[in-house]
Amino acid sequence: MELSQDLSVQDLTGLARVNRTPQGLLINSDFKASVRLECVRCLDSFQQPLRAIFDELYAFNERTATESALILPDDGYIDLQPLVREYLLIEIPINPLCNEDCMGLCMICGANRNKVTCNHEEPPEGKAT
Ligand SMILES: [Zn+2]
Ligand SMILES: [Zn+2]
């Protein structure tokens, strides 16, 4: 799976609070969204909820900038979207699962075992319960 820059994040909601500090504007953000992913086990697509909670300082000038090096633009307008996107992308699992208990595909007939019972024997490793 490749995470392109065009990955579409759906249902983005959230809020950002702005606090003025001597160094700059401190943004407290809490955003939620969901993204369509493909389960690595059963290959079904599903909606994965994402949440991005972060504090970032937009400094008044370079001297007070934090590691993120965010500087308050001259026009004072902050576009949070790229930042929110970055934080949401971090939340996307590398090996997404539609469900922690996803049964995956049958090794023998390829059926989605979450949806159908094909009565094929499970591989021996799967029996250790
Ligand atoms: Zn699955
Ligand atoms: Zn089967």
Side-chain angles (χ1 to χ4, degrees):
M1 187 184 61
E2 204 182 350
L3 290 181
S4 73
Q5 287 298 310
D6 306 323
L7 181 84
S8 68
V9 173
Q10 288 131 34
D11 312 323
L12 181 65
T13 58
L15 51 94
R17 263 201 316 272
V18 181
N19 295 303
R20 201 184 173 87
T21 73
Q23 292 80 34
L25 298 182
L26 185 65
I27 316 281
N28 304 117
S29 301
D30 185 347
F31 284 90
K32 282 182 212 160
S34 75
V35 65
R36 197 147 192 86
L37 297 177
E38 190 175 87
C39 174
V40 290
R41 279 192 205 153
C42 68
L43 308 180
D44 245 9
S45 58
F46 66 100
Q47 290 294 127
Q48 168 81 42
L50 302 173
R51 190 165 186 195
I53 302 173
F54 60 89
D55 298 332
E56 287 284 3
L57 181 81
Y58 279 81
F60 291 131
N61 58 55
E62 273 151 45
R63 274 181 313 157
T64 56
T66 59
E67 280 171 33
S68 321
L70 297 167
I71 309 285
L72 192 66
D74 287 337
D75 60 9
Y77 178 76
I78 296 174
D79 181 12
L80 270 184
Q81 210 168 313
L83 203 58
V84 170
R85 186 183 185 78
E86 216 170 282
Y87 275 90
L88 287 173
L89 288 179
I90 300 171
E91 292 296 306
I92 294 176
I94 297 164
N95 292 309
L97 288 178
C98 61
N99 185 316
E100 259 181 65
D101 304 318
C102 174
M103 313 238 283
L105 299 175
C106 171
M107 308 270 277
I108 297 163
C109 70
N112 183 339
R113 295 171 63 224
N114 301 307
K115 293 176 181 164
V116 285
T117 311
C118 61
N119 291 322
H120 284 121
E121 281 293 314
E122 286 188 37
E125 311 90 70
K127 282 207 166 159
T129 38

